[in-house]
Amino acid sequence: VDPLLLQDLRVSNPAGNGVSVNSASFLAFDGVSLSGNVGIGLNFAAISDDIVIQDSVFDANAGSGIRTASTAQVSSVAISGTTFSNNFVGILLFGSGNTGNGQIVNWSVSNSQFLSNDNANASIFGAGIWIKTAGAGSVIDGVNVTGSTFADNGSSNVLNRVGITVRARPGTTMRNVSICNNSFVENGATLGTQ
């Protein structure tokens, strides 16, 4: 199946999210800039699978670069060669909500950059990537982060002053998460430890 291709375009919404996907399969983002949105750059709200994001930019979004709702079921997502910078959080998988039985299955992030997300330390969030289960019954099964750079991602919360946050909440399942061959750099100007 050929994916629906969004290529070489910029989405900037002064009144909300850049792109919201309720339910969709076989989507490809190539050379897309989802930047300067008042909300989230790319929001997955329900059931989606077979998503490819390559050579794209998520910059200066007031919300996350990419976010999954706590009830979403999003599988087979491949992100490569993409930059997440100056967002609230680079990628937020479920995040702070401890309700919802969402499922994240088979995600990969490779050769990408996570730079200065919440570098101003303006929130409790920060981090390049949050990998956190949601409420009871939620599942994260298969997240692979490789060959990527995490630099100067910050937060005012001591638990989240890092490049990647990984957390399984009670009554949830997290398995097959690998974080290999990445670079973590802190230039000292932020509160982060990467």
Side-chain angles (χ1 to χ4, degrees):
V1 176
D2 291 329
L4 172 64
L5 175 63
L6 292 97
Q7 187 173 41
D8 300 330
L9 62 93
R10 177 184 170 92
V11 178
S12 183
N13 183 357
N17 297 334
V19 173
S20 289
V21 178
N22 287 328
S23 291
S25 297
F26 301 105
L27 298 178
F29 298 81
D30 185 2
V32 173
S33 174
L34 294 161
S35 302
N37 296 287
V38 169
I40 298 155
L42 175 58
N43 185 50
F44 291 104
I47 300 172
S48 297
D49 59 16
D50 294 294
I51 312 295
V52 174
I53 301 167
Q54 61 186 19
D55 302 326
S56 294
V57 174
F58 294 80
D59 180 63
N61 294 294
S64 310
I66 295 175
R67 173 189 173 266
T68 58
S70 63
T71 55
Q73 298 177 30
V74 186
S75 61
S76 300
V77 176
I79 301 167
S80 64
T82 294
T83 299
F84 297 84
S85 56
N86 305 301
N87 302 292
F88 190 58
V89 179
I91 298 175
L92 183 63
L93 302 182
F94 298 144
S96 63
N98 59 0
T99 61
N101 61 350
Q103 297 184 20
I104 298 295
V105 178
N106 193 26
W107 280 54
S108 67
V109 178
S110 62
N111 303 314
S112 295
Q113 296 186 334
F114 295 82
L115 311 172
S116 297
N117 292 288
D118 197 21
N119 191 32
N121 301 301
S123 75
I124 63 168
F125 292 92
I129 302 176
W130 268 35
I131 304 169
K132 290 189 176 183
T133 51
S138 75
V139 174
I140 293 179
D141 185 359
V143 176
N144 183 18
V145 182
T146 59
S148 297
T149 298
F150 296 82
D152 299 326
N153 299 288
S155 172
S156 60
N157 184 320
V158 296
L159 295 176
N160 302 321
R161 294 175 183 170
V162 294
I164 302 176
T165 295
V166 180
R167 178 178 170 200
R169 292 187 170 97
T172 65
T173 301
M174 181 181 292
R175 60 182 169 243
N176 301 315
V177 174
S178 63
I179 301 168
C180 302
N181 301 316
N182 299 287
S183 173
F184 294 86
V185 178
E186 181 62 49
N187 290 318
T190 70
L191 297 176
T193 58
Q194 301 311 303

